[in-house]
Amino acid sequence: APAAAKPPTPDPEDSLLSSVLAAFANRRAVETINGRVAMLGFVNAISAEQATHATLFEQFPAALGSVLIITLASLAPKLRKNPQAPLDGITEDAEAFFVFNSDAERLNGRAAMVGITAWALIEAVTG
């Protein structure tokens, strides 16, 4: 009897994991995702502290789900693999809309990252 044919092996370039790893290898993508997480985290942390008086460190465990959701949502355009699709917004600048553009997003993300870091340091020093 002839040997059974082997099923074709998937091309590693087409795997979801390879697409995610490629996005995280791009410094711009990492900064964009971290900036998005920091911007939303900063606003959420201020709101939660005002409402519950919980410190930034006390809020951290509850924020992990939001971080995962934001990261996955940011990667979604990169993972769709449609060459006709518009720019993905993480490894390349997305199309500007009024005052909303990639440079403003990057600047606001950097400010939020610095703000959260300063906030954490102040809380760590002052208690």
Side-chain angles (χ1 to χ4, degrees), residues 23 37 48 71 80 84 99 118 122 125:
V37 168
T71 302
R80 73 177 160 232
Q84 307 301 331
V99 297
I122 290 169
V125 170

Side-chain angles (χ1 to χ4, degrees), residues 6-97:
K6 284 184 167 180
T9 55
D11 183 5
E13 294 298 317
D14 291 336
S15 75
L16 178 64
L17 179 60
S18 66
S19 297
V20 169
L21 292 176
F24 278 111
N26 184 305
R27 290 181 184 175
R28 178 189 200 116
V30 171
E31 182 180 9
T32 300
I33 293 169
N34 286 337
R36 289 174 181 173
V37 168
M39 287 185 283
L40 292 170
F42 192 81
V43 171
N44 287 338
I46 287 175
S47 301
E49 186 159 333
Q50 291 297 314
T52 65
H53 302 289
T55 67
L56 187 63
F57 294 108
E58 292 169 344
Q59 297 175 39
F60 183 75
L64 294 178
S66 297
V67 168
L68 179 64
I69 290 169
I70 294 165
T71 302
L72 292 174
S74 294
L75 288 173
K78 185 70 178 167
L79 301 177
R80 73 177 160 232
K81 296 185 180 189
N82 179 354
Q84 307 301 331
L87 304 175
D88 66 29
I90 60 168
T91 59
E92 54 201 355
D93 285 344
E95 186 177 328
F97 174 72

